[in-house]
Amino acid sequence: MARARVPIGGIAAAAMLGSHWVAYFIAAPDPHERAHLLRSTGHAYLPIVISVAIAAAVFGLGKFIA
């Protein structure tokens, strides 16, 4: 069971960050406005973290399926 924690954790982290991205996308559909909103709220790192989360989700799903 301990081996399943890492893949499931990666999937959960990706889901959490993905939901944040969707919320910001709905709140500010314009990319320039969204970038300004992210900077002003202290979430300017979010696009980079989303990329890492996608990689974690792919890795997690791959390990979970295997």
Side-chain angles (χ1 to χ4, degrees):
M1 184 67 180
R3 296 178 76 192
R5 289 183 186 158
V6 173
I8 292 174
I11 295 167
M16 181 198 60
L17 290 169
S19 64
H20 277 79
W21 181 81
V22 169
Y24 275 105
F25 187 77
I26 291 170
D30 179 51
H32 299 293
E33 182 184 342
R34 186 170 48 252
H36 175 67
L37 179 63
L38 288 169
R39 277 192 309 275
S40 67
T41 59
H43 290 94
Y45 62 87
L46 196 60
I48 295 167
V49 175
I50 291 293
S51 301
V52 173
I54 290 170
V58 170
F59 174 75
L61 286 171
K63 292 287 272 185
F64 187 74
I65 290 170

